[in-house]
Amino acid sequence: MAQISSDIDGAAKFLTQGELVGIPTETVYGLAANALNGAAVAQIFEVKNRPSFDPLIVHISGIEEVEKYASHFPEKLKNLARAFWPGPLTLLLPKKEIVPDLVTSGLARVALRVPSHPLTRSLLDVLDFPLAAPSANPFGYISPTQAGHVDAQLGDQIPFILDGGPCEVGLESTIVGMEEDEVIVYRMGGLAVDAIETVVGQVQVRDQSSSKPDAPGLLTSHYAPRVPFLVGDLDELISQAKRAQKDFAVLSLSRRIDELDSSRSLVLSREGSLSEAAQNLFAGMRQLDASGAEVILAEYMPETGLGRAMNDRLRRAAAKG
Ligand code: TXA
Ligand code: MG
């Protein structure tokens, strides 16, 4: 079983030895390894049961580290980094030789991010290498937003989880890169597209539902609970579930379903705050997945701000076939 603690030196010791450590970030928990150690990185793929064509994000301690790993830093992306790092923004930049091909799955770009969680920032400060870290969940399942989520699924395979409490943002980082002169959002996430547009003007959001996505982790079925998950109009979904005599649970933004026991009606934010809802989304999906219900019914969020990224995750959770 993994040791769960907020001791940075303990985490650093295992990482320096080439072992894997669960780390808190403001978005979701990561499964971290020394990004420059190919053998350590290989273990990430094994433990997560992740296909090797799905590349990893490299976490660095500050913007000044970019030049070590990227051969070019376009002005527009630099402006985004200045505005939003540390924070839930990942930039795709042309990689330097020093980054192992396993990290980028052989792609020409490396994904770089400066996370803002204070424990992980301190950890990166004491280490003399960057951390490759995907979300710390088995491939295809919901991302973890608490140390206990990591422990429940990967705890018997890793020695240490750095406990930084529940994640503040709750959605994975927004992934951004450039093609020619255009800024492209490859994955919507914890940094809203509108916020990005205030810095670089209009951006293109890639349709991520293709079967051959630019970021391979964007396979349509992803972030999925085990129990069937349906998204749409709640009243309709509830009547259908009743007609089919299904034992159902409901995930909603602010509406409480009175006929259900409180463990079966999960409200993401009583006030309807999208940032609070994002914080609670993955933990809520996990809770309902474990509730014993036969089906989870969810509603779409308003399509603004973080609501867009949340809707993307809800669609993916529902896409499991
Ligand atoms: O918030 C986050 O981004 C979290 C925390 C731990 O930092 N990490 C995370 O990692 O969500 P992961 O591996 O679950 O998702 C990373 C996504 C994948 O979809 C992957 O395909 C994409 O980033 N990605 C990574 N490197 C890439 C590259 N070189 N080119 C294109 N896509 C890349
Ligand atoms: Mg992931």
Side-chain angles (χ1 to χ4, degrees), residues 6-263:
S6 56
D7 172 28
I8 289 164
D9 294 333
K13 185 191 81 181
F14 285 111
L15 289 163
T16 304
Q17 290 168 354
E19 297 194 60
L20 305 188
V21 168
I23 59 164
T25 84
E26 74 281 22
T27 58
V28 301
Y29 273 74
L31 178 65
N34 177 350
L36 306 181
N37 176 340
V41 171
Q43 283 185 63
I44 293 180
F45 289 93
E46 264 175 53
V47 165
K48 259 197 79 127
N49 202 5
R50 178 178 175 117
S52 61
F53 60 75
D54 194 358
L56 306 175
I57 295 174
V58 175
H59 299 71
I60 55 178
S61 59
I63 192 169
E64 64 289 346
E65 297 263 291
V66 168
E67 63 181 9
K68 291 190 189 166
Y69 310 110
S71 58
H72 176 57
F73 199 174
E75 206 51 37
K76 282 185 184 170
L77 298 187
K78 204 179 275 176
N79 289 337
L80 286 176
R82 288 196 188 108
F84 300 116
W85 276 355
L89 168 72
T90 293
L91 296 176
L92 297 182
L93 296 167
K95 96 176 192 63
K96 278 191 173 169
E97 199 80 34
I98 184 176
V99 181
D101 284 327
L102 188 56
V103 170
T104 59
S105 302
L107 296 173
R109 291 190 291 190
V110 60
L112 295 177
R113 166 163 123 79
V114 179
S116 72
H117 192 291
L119 278 190
T120 291
R121 294 198 72 192
S122 306
L123 175 64
L124 286 166
D125 283 341
V126 304
L127 298 173
D128 58 3
F129 49 80
L131 293 174
S135 50
N137 49 289
F139 187 69
Y141 194 66
I142 306 160
S143 294
T145 52
Q146 300 171 14
H149 296 165
V150 182
D151 190 40
Q153 291 183 302
L154 304 177
D156 56 352
Q157 298 181 76
I158 60 177
F160 198 94
I161 300 167
L162 186 61
D163 188 352
C167 300
E168 236 173 53
V169 175
L171 294 172
E172 299 86 351
S173 61
T174 302
I175 302 180
V176 177
M178 290 193 73
E179 290 178 20
E180 310 287 330
D181 271 344
E182 201 176 358
V183 177
I184 316 276
V185 171
Y186 295 95
R187 176 177 76 180
M188 288 190 282
L191 178 64
V193 172
D194 333 8
I196 291 172
E197 290 186 328
T198 61
V199 176
V200 293
Q202 211 184 346
V203 301
Q204 188 187 324
V205 179
R206 272 291 153 80
D207 172 17
Q208 301 168 343
S209 59
S210 72
S211 56
K212 266 178 91 189
D214 296 287
L218 298 174
L219 299 171
T220 307
S221 165
H222 218 76
Y223 312 100
R226 304 216 162 77
V227 171
F229 189 88
L230 304 177
V231 199
D233 179 80
L234 275 187
D235 293 309
E236 252 171 56
L237 291 174
I238 290 172
S239 353
Q240 279 168 15
K242 283 183 178 166
R243 274 200 301 276
Q245 300 191 324
K246 291 273 188 199
D247 184 2
F248 63 94
V250 171
L251 184 76
S252 59
L253 174 56
S254 56
R255 177 176 156 201
R256 165 94 175 84
I257 309 298
D258 291 324
E259 67 189 278
L260 291 176
D261 188 270
S262 64
S263 65

Side-chain angles (χ1 to χ4, degrees), residues 237-315:
L237 291 174
I238 290 172
S239 353
Q240 279 168 15
K242 283 183 178 166
R243 274 200 301 276
Q245 300 191 324
K246 291 273 188 199
D247 184 2
F248 63 94
V250 171
L251 184 76
S252 59
L253 174 56
S254 56
R255 177 176 156 201
R256 165 94 175 84
I257 309 298
D258 291 324
E259 67 189 278
L260 291 176
D261 188 270
S262 64
S263 65
R264 290 290 177 88
S265 169
L266 201 136
V267 170
L268 293 172
S269 166
R270 281 215 209 155
E271 277 96 60
S273 145
L274 288 177
S275 56
E276 187 185 17
Q279 237 173 46
N280 295 328
L281 178 66
F282 290 155
M285 284 165 70
R286 278 174 186 261
Q287 186 185 316
L288 296 184
D289 201 19
S291 69
E294 290 171 282
V295 59
I296 302 169
L297 313 177
E299 65 179 348
Y300 284 112
M301 304 293 125
E303 187 67 19
T304 61
L306 291 183
R308 290 181 71 181
M310 293 176 73
N311 287 338
D312 170 82
R313 302 303 187 272
L314 291 168
R315 265 191 292 276

